[in-house]
């Protein structure tokens, strides 16, 4: 710390210890009210210290946190999933109804075909088994026709 060639010896000094003296709590003097427009200039506060000094300055507002964006009660993802599920169920229900409608329509058409067959078959049966002596149409003697075709003259 000291160069080797100097014959300097450290000197010991007496140390004074100062104890702080407690002061009674300071009562701030009322600040003079200055007329002014609100929110234009911040209020100036003055405080009288115990030793008689007056400290004047602006009051510092406490730091206010930034307002947090209001979040919806339900997340958008949950809403999208729910709407997708409702849409899927609607499509499935529509397909079930469409399938049921096609099956019912097929059964109805089948019954109409069966009804037509029964009615037409009944009409044919009535024509065949009717007891009336007069039947419409052309009567052909098959035996003579066959003979004429084969050129049998008899």
């Amino acid at each position: 710390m000291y160069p080797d060639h100097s014959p300097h010896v450290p000197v010991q000094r007496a140390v004074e210890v100062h104890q702080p003296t407690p002061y009674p709590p300071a009562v701030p003097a009322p600040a003079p009210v200055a007329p002014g427009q609100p929110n234009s200039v911040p209020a100036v506060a003055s405080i009288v210290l115990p030793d008689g000094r007056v400290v004047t300055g602006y009051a510092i507002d406490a730091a206010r946190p930034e307002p947090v964006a209001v979040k919806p009660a339900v997340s958008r993802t949950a809403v999208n999933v729910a709407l997708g599920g409702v849409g899927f169920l609607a499509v499935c229900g529509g397909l079930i109804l469409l399938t049921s409608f096609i099956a019912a329509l097929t059964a109805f058409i089948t019954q109409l075909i069966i009804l037509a067959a029964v009615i037409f078959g009944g009409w044919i049966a009535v024509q065949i088994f009717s007891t009336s002596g007069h039947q419409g149409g052309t009567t052909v003697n098959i035996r003579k026709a066959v003979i004429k075709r084969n050129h049998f003259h008899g």
Side-chain angles (χ1 to χ4, degrees), residues 5-27:
H5 57 69
S6 74
H8 187 282
V9 179
V11 179
Q12 293 184 358
R13 296 186 187 147
V15 178
E16 293 182 22
V17 178
H18 296 280
Q19 296 293 331
T21 307
Y23 290 112
V27 178

Side-chain angles (χ1 to χ4, degrees), residues 50-103:
D51 59 355
R53 293 181 293 165
V54 176
V55 177
T56 304
Y58 296 105
I60 299 175
D61 291 337
R64 296 179 187 164
E66 291 293 323
V68 178
V70 178
K71 291 184 178 179
V74 180
S75 71
R76 292 182 185 194
T77 304
V79 170
N80 290 339
V81 168
L83 289 177
V86 169
F88 178 76
L89 290 178
V91 168
C92 289
L95 289 176
I96 289 173
L97 287 176
L98 181 64
T99 306
S100 301
F101 175 74
I102 291 172

Side-chain angles (χ1 to χ4, degrees), residues 61-149:
D61 291 337
R64 296 179 187 164
E66 291 293 323
V68 178
V70 178
K71 291 184 178 179
V74 180
S75 71
R76 292 182 185 194
T77 304
V79 170
N80 290 339
V81 168
L83 289 177
V86 169
F88 178 76
L89 290 178
V91 168
C92 289
L95 289 176
I96 289 173
L97 287 176
L98 181 64
T99 306
S100 301
F101 175 74
I102 291 172
L105 186 63
T106 304
F108 177 69
I109 292 173
T110 304
Q111 288 178 353
L112 285 179
I113 292 171
I114 292 171
L115 180 65
V118 167
I119 290 174
F120 185 69
W123 181 76
I124 291 175
V126 167
Q127 295 299 318
I128 291 174
F129 296 117
S130 67
T131 57
S132 68
H134 176 69
Q135 293 181 349
T138 305
T139 303
V140 178
N141 191 342
I142 296 175
R143 185 172 292 161
K144 286 182 180 179
V146 170
I147 291 171
K148 285 182 181 179
R149 194 181 86 195

Side-chain angles (χ1 to χ4, degrees), residues 22-40:
Y23 290 112
V27 178
V33 178
Q37 296 178 355
N39 296 330
S40 61

